[in-house]
Amino acid sequence: MSEITIDEIELKQLIKSAIVELLQERKEIVYDLLAEIIEDIALEKAIQEGENTEPVSRETIFNILGRKQ
């Protein structure tokens, strides 16, 4: 089997081309992936903020949300 040699500049260009092609042809996949990443970041931030606040009752939360238990 023969080896293929590629320099760093060529490799970067190939990767960039592949990313551009992915963004153009598979927008829905990229969108879904970015949405999941944003949701994960927001959840992590909410958890961290929650760890630094006082606990509240279930009743208080549902009152804030305007729902009955």
Side-chain angles (χ1 to χ4, degrees):
M1 185 148 65
S2 63
E3 289 187 26
I4 298 175
T5 309
I6 186 167
D7 67 26
E8 186 177 340
I9 294 170
E10 280 182 295
L11 178 60
K12 284 182 181 181
Q13 188 57 44
L14 285 171
I15 292 172
K16 286 179 186 178
S17 295
I19 291 171
V20 168
E21 186 176 329
L22 173 68
L23 291 172
Q24 290 173 342
E25 294 181 8
R26 305 291 232 147
K27 291 177 186 175
E28 66 283 346
I29 293 173
V30 175
Y31 176 82
D32 291 344
L33 179 62
L34 288 176
E36 281 190 47
I37 291 168
I38 292 168
E39 288 173 4
D40 288 348
I41 291 169
L43 181 59
E44 180 183 353
K45 184 177 180 184
I47 291 170
Q48 288 174 348
E49 287 178 7
E51 290 174 343
N52 297 322
T53 61
E54 293 295 320
V56 295
S57 69
R58 178 182 172 98
E59 181 181 347
T60 302
I61 292 171
F62 280 103
N63 286 338
I64 290 170
L65 295 173
R67 297 183 185 169
K68 295 184 179 183
Q69 292 185 12

